[in-house]
Amino acid sequence: MKKRNVAKWIAISVAITAAIAFAAGVAFELRAIKKLTVDIDNDEEPQADDLVVEAVEA
């Protein structure tokens, strides 16, 4: 193989590896963000129908 072809294959393999690492990093960060934004409030919020009934009765 010529040096030019070897350099081309090395550059392509580095680019592919970088793209895969970037995608894996993004997926990892999105998963971490999802864990942080989980709704930890177990209290049920009032439904719109309940609020309308309360407003009419008042």
Side-chain angles (χ1 to χ4, degrees):
M1 286 178 110
K2 294 182 181 179
K3 288 183 181 180
R4 189 173 194 84
N5 282 344
V6 172
K8 187 169 112 176
W9 278 105
I10 290 172
I12 290 171
S13 65
V14 168
I16 290 172
T17 303
I20 292 170
F22 179 77
V26 168
F28 179 77
E29 289 296 323
L30 288 175
R31 185 173 169 214
I33 290 170
K34 185 178 179 184
K35 282 184 179 180
L36 289 175
T37 58
V38 171
D39 186 17
I40 59 172
D41 186 18
N42 290 331
D43 297 335
E44 289 189 25
E45 295 182 11
Q47 298 296 319
D49 294 338
D50 297 337
L51 296 175
V52 170
V53 171
E54 289 177 9
V56 171
E57 290 174 354

